[in-house]
Amino acid sequence: MPYLTSRRRRWAPALLLLAAPLTLAADEPARWDAPGAGNPLLPGYFADPSIVRDGNRWYIFATIDPWGDDRLGLWTSENGRDWRFSTPDWPTKAAATSPTSGDSKVWAPSVVRAPNGRWYMYVSVGSEVWVGTAPTPAGPWRDANGGKPLIARDFAPAYHMIDAEAFVDDDGQAYLYWGSGLNWTNGHCFVVKLKPDMVTFDGTPRDVTPENYFEGPFMMKAHGRYLLTYSDGNTTKDTYKVRYAIGPSPFGPFHEAPNSPLLQTDAARDIISPGHHAVFRSQGQSYILYHRQALPWPQPGDAVLRQVAVDPLTVEADGTLARVRPTHGSQVAGFAAARDHGLTWTPIGDRAAAKAADDNYATLWRARPDGSGTIVADLGSVRRVNGSRLRPEFATRRYTYAVAASRDGKTWTPVLVPGGHQGSPVTLRHPVDTRYLRLTVATPAAGLWEWSIDGGRGR
């Protein structure tokens, strides 16, 4: 029976790709700001996602927007819907630098489990490709190449040495693909065979650039053919898209498929510049994980703010890929049907506060630019409350929060004194029996994706 293999191969069986059809949910939100949207998948601004599963946990490694950070973002989840943010110890901008490094931040991780059982990360830092290794995706991650880049910036000075992606074939042989262009033009894709240590090149890198290639290669295999998927266009505009080419071997030659692009802007449905993707499987269905422009678009000024989304990917019987229909309400088989949004509550006074209770990571409530902001939540009746989970606009920034409670909406008792907090979710413990909670955000212009209020037993 024909089969399909991703870069994860049999060492991570949950990520092997199958050509199973999926019916999209009939209740997909009609607009990007509709309550209950499943996309974006993550709360915040992230790009270039790489996804793996180890044991009962999902891991998404990603670039931190705007335009990279001194560290990577790592999101972990047991159910694929409720994600917790952290930053791995490696790489950092300071640790992954060389005499040839540029000033670019940490970008575009690719994480893969090798035949030797260890995990390897290929990541762009300073416009160079670095490689690290760890016993599990959770780490600890360490440099695997003696403190020097695997691919230096001057390897091919006419092109951009970024966006490396590893692929492990059915026979256990690993390959590394990478490459972009300069000034948003003239992208080139290189590939090299890797030795079993996943670090040493086995042979000379080859240029295998297909038509309309710019960056972000991701190799997969279907029905004996090799599918090189990649991004084209400009991620800061509305031209970014995913294309794919087909070849007879990991070295090609690759020619763009007749039905490419695979995934592109749908302005009528507010899907702007989807690209730089990864492909994975969950419960027998293949999916494409990618970033797209944050909404509303364009963002003010020249900010580059992207968000991570996921949608079904169908592999046809002839080994080609069906065009992806990007959604705002993606349902992912094998993931939880919905996020854990806690007790139901309605806002009092500030109607915009409903955005912090709509279970949608595309919509924000924001404090005043010149001072703090307050949200009053009505639980409908006196309920036992254990605490709150806050998902701030930027998981890497520090915000000041305070919480007060009231049974009648008139007399208020502080249950959490003002304090600084960072991360996502920010978990606040404030056990109390109450009908109303008042959240004060004392950081000017602070944004909040969601305020989840956690209940307890009895009263």
Side-chain angles (χ1 to χ4, degrees), residues 6-8 165 216-220 227-230 277-279:
S6 79
R7 59 181 175 174
R8 282 49 165 159
E165 285 280 345
F218 187 100
M219 173 58 70
M220 47 195 287
L227 308 181
L228 179 61
T229 62
Y230 49 93
H277 61 291
V279 176

Side-chain angles (χ1 to χ4, degrees), residues 264-276:
Q264 61 186 324
T265 289
D266 186 345
R269 298 174 58 245
D270 297 300
I271 308 288
I272 308 297
S273 280
H276 202 126

Side-chain angles (χ1 to χ4, degrees), residues 173-235:
Q173 178 60 59
Y175 301 83
L176 190 68
Y177 297 80
W178 75 91
S180 181
L182 299 175
N183 301 315
W184 303 109
T185 61
N186 198 29
H188 273 245
C189 182
F190 301 92
V191 61
V192 69
K193 185 185 294 187
L194 294 175
K195 290 187 176 180
D197 64 4
M198 299 295 287
V199 174
T200 308
F201 288 179
D202 187 359
T204 302
R206 305 184 194 181
D207 187 330
V208 293
T209 307
E211 299 88 350
N212 297 306
Y213 175 93
F214 181 65
E215 65 185 12
F218 187 100
M219 173 58 70
M220 47 195 287
K221 188 177 182 181
H223 302 272
R225 296 194 294 179
Y226 294 82
L227 308 181
L228 179 61
T229 62
Y230 49 93
S231 293
D232 176 34
N234 187 328
T235 190

Side-chain angles (χ1 to χ4, degrees), residues 236-251:
T236 71
K237 303 183 184 301
D238 60 358
T239 59
Y240 212 50
K241 62 184 72 70
V242 177
R243 297 180 181 271
Y244 79 105
I246 302 172
S249 80
F251 294 108

Side-chain angles (χ1 to χ4, degrees), residues 285-373:
Q285 168 65 40
S286 301
Y287 292 89
I288 184 167
L289 184 77
Y290 60 96
H291 72 238
R292 60 198 195 193
Q293 286 282 357
L295 295 170
W297 187 83
Q299 294 289 322
D302 58 357
V304 178
L305 297 176
R306 297 160 292 182
Q307 293 189 282
V308 172
V310 61
D311 280 299
L313 175 69
T314 298
V315 183
E316 305 288 10
D318 62 357
T320 60
L321 304 176
R323 286 179 175 168
V324 176
R325 179 177 182 263
T327 69
H328 298 298
S330 181
Q331 296 295 313
V332 184
F335 283 9
R339 292 184 280 256
D340 176 12
H341 50 76
L343 299 174
T344 299
W345 61 272
T346 56
I348 302 296
D350 182 3
R351 294 179 60 186
K355 294 179 179 180
D358 64 355
D359 191 27
N360 185 340
Y361 292 157
T363 60
L364 276 171
W365 169 87
R366 191 177 297 283
R368 296 188 301 271
D370 58 349
S372 65

